């Protein structure tokens, strides 16, 4: 093997996929409820995105951000109109989007400190690893950046007790994905928004996993009537094409003037074509309406059929971002589900995370439920 062993890879190879179904190199089919970890929101190889990329491939692949890129502007307009923000910056990943947000907040305010929350996840670059409130992500890399402070998640009083000015930003996930599919309380989020208004700190919402329709709205913060200064997004933006983005309010424009930040590949014509085609589909009212109907249906089925089973603690989530908390180590369930034809992923040691494509059918949801019920009902689940 010529690769660093930075991933605990499952012992099989996905060779092809279409929609919700993938096939391994032996021809076995699986329902993919991982979606590349909330990336393939339109399923595998959505035709509308494939055609957009193929069309762009015939024109030009890369030109550098030194030149005008009209399709990048079109993608940015879709992003800003759907989020209610004003300007976008394109990069290549969620970590890069969060790096951009951290830099912009510090440059605009002149302050260094950024408040984040325990069990958060914001990326694996040095700054975003320092922003992440999980020791397991940080272990072994020496002294972290000292300008991050971690508060308990969903602790409204801890936010209210923050004193005075001095913070550049408070950065939060509306749903902690890697932290266990934990949804923020509305009062907690409102307390953050209020504290930012009082102190001049920027309100940053990390929508890397929750954005692009994953929770049934364009972005998860919109369920709560919030008005963030900055949001970050990636994963579902490009249907598997590597792309990230930061969007911010108009008053921040001068703090990100020419030369203040950049990305060689960010928002290149191919990435922008993928973003435009993806968001043009997901941000349609009817599409999101169907996502909400399917997620309500599926969540009801999961709660009714799984929460009474021995070893199952709770089913929770929003939209098509679902966690099933179990008493024992969840990885054993994930392996058994894979053996039975359903791909799932962890969200911490005791949470099975389900991230089906937003295009999943009712029949596939029913099929997934039966596989989950089968695995979680077996004697294996109680040992």
């Amino acid at each position: 093997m010529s690769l660093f062993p930075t991933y605990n890879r499952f012992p099989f190879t996905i060779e092809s996929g279409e929609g919700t179904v993938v096939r391994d190199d032996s021809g076995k089919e699986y329902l993919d409820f991982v979606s590349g970890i909330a990336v393939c929101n339109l399923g595998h190889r959505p035709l509308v995105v494939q055609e957009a990329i193929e069309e762009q491939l015939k024109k030009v692949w890369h030109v550098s951000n030194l030149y005008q890129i009209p399709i990048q502007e079109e993608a940015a307009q879709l992003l800003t109109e759907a989020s209610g923000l004003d300007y976008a910056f394109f990069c290549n990943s969620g970590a890069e989007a969060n790096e951009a947000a951290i830099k912009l907040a510090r440059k605009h305010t002149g302050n260094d400190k950024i408040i984040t929350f325990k069990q958060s996840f914001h990326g694996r670059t040095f700054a975003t690893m320092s922003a992440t409130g999980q020791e397991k992500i940080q272990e072994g890399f020496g002294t972290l950046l000292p300008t991050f402070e971690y508060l308990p998640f969903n602790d409204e009083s801890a936010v209210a007790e923050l004193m005075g000015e001095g913070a550049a930003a408070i950065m939060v996930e509306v749903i902690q994905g890697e932290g266990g599919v934990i949804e923020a309380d509305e009062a907690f989020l409102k307390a953050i928004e209020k504290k930012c208004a009082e102190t001049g700190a920027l309100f940053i919402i990390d929508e890397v996993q929750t954005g692009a329709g994953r929770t049934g709205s364009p972005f998860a913060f919109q369920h709560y009537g919030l008005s963030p200064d900055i949001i970050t997004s990636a994963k579902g933006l490009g249907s598997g094409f590597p792309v990230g983005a930061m969007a911010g309010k108009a008053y921040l424009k001068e703090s990100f003037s020419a030369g203040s930040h950049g990305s060689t590949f960010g928002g290149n014509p191919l990435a922008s074509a993928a973003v435009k085609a993806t968001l043009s589909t997901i941000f349609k009212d009817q599409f999101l309406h169907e996502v909400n109907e399917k997620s309500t249906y599926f969540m009801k089925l999961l709660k009714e059929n799984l929460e009474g089973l021995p070893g199952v603690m709770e089913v929770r989530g929003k939209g098509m971002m679902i966690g099933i908390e179990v008493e024992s180590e969840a990885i054993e369930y994930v392996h058994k589900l894979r053996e039975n034809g359903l791909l799932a992923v962890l969200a911490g040691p005791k949470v099975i995370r389900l991230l089906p494509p937003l295009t999943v059918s009712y029949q596939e949801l029913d099929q997934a439920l039966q596989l989950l019920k089968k695995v979680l009902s077996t004697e294996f689940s109680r040992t």
Side-chain angles (χ1 to χ4, degrees), residues 305-334:
N305 286 273
L306 303 184
E307 283 192 334
L309 296 178
V312 176
M313 305 298 291
E314 183 184 19
V315 176
R316 57 179 179 255
K318 185 178 282 294
M320 290 297 180
M321 185 174 178
I322 298 164
I324 303 170
E325 185 175 355
V326 294
E327 286 183 344
S328 56
E329 293 297 309
I331 187 61
E332 298 300 331
Y333 300 105
V334 169

Side-chain angles (χ1 to χ4, degrees), residues 246-277:
M246 177 197 70
K249 289 184 174 177
Y251 76 89
L252 298 169
K253 180 182 178 182
E254 296 308 314
S255 295
F256 246 27
S257 56
S260 59
H261 195 49
S263 172
T264 296
F265 298 109
N268 78 10
L270 291 176
S272 296
V275 172
K276 181 183 175 183

Side-chain angles (χ1 to χ4, degrees), residues 230-248:
I230 295 172
I231 67 166
T232 57
S233 188
K235 290 190 181 289
L237 279 183
S239 295
F241 202 98
V243 62
M246 177 197 70

Side-chain angles (χ1 to χ4, degrees), residues 92-289:
N92 306 289
S93 68
E96 286 187 30
N98 284 332
E99 285 273 353
I102 290 165
K103 287 180 67 174
L104 177 53
R106 289 178 55 147
K107 190 167 190 290
H108 183 80
T109 63
N111 295 324
D112 292 343
K113 185 169 71 173
I114 292 179
I115 309 296
T116 62
F117 295 90
K118 294 177 181 178
Q119 291 305 115
S120 61
F121 182 82
H122 298 293
R124 293 180 182 271
T125 63
F126 214 81
T128 58
M129 176 181 67
S130 299
T132 293
Q134 297 189 53
E135 289 184 4
K136 69 178 183 180
I137 303 297
Q138 303 166 339
E139 287 175 357
F141 293 103
T143 304
L144 302 172
L145 295 181
T147 53
F148 292 93
E149 179 180 335
Y150 317 109
L151 297 183
F153 188 69
N154 265 339
D155 190 334
E156 186 181 346
S157 62
V159 173
E161 289 167 7
L162 286 170
M163 300 298 292
E165 299 182 359
I170 302 178
M171 182 161 66
V172 66
E173 299 159 279
V174 173
I175 302 173
Q176 289 189 332
E178 305 302 318
V181 191
I182 307 296
E183 185 177 356
D185 297 329
E186 183 171 356
F188 169 69
L189 294 170
K190 292 287 189 182
I192 295 173
E193 186 172 47
K194 180 181 179 183
K195 182 58 66 171
C196 287
E198 290 173 353
T199 63
L202 301 190
F203 185 17
I204 302 175
I205 296 182
D206 180 337
E207 292 266 7
V208 169
Q209 190 165 152
T210 53
R214 174 56 53 183
T215 66
S217 62
F219 298 96
F221 77 85
Q222 293 166 323
H223 292 288
Y224 308 94
L226 302 170
S227 182
D229 298 288
I230 295 172
I231 67 166
T232 57
S233 188
K235 290 190 181 289
L237 279 183
S239 295
F241 202 98
V243 62
M246 177 197 70
K249 289 184 174 177
Y251 76 89
L252 298 169
K253 180 182 178 182
E254 296 308 314
S255 295
F256 246 27
S257 56
S260 59
H261 195 49
S263 172
T264 296
F265 298 109
N268 78 10
L270 291 176
S272 296
V275 172
K276 181 183 175 183
T278 300
L279 299 189
S280 294
T281 303
I282 290 175
F283 289 165
K284 289 179 179 176
D285 290 342
Q286 182 59 34
F287 183 91
L288 291 172
H289 175 72

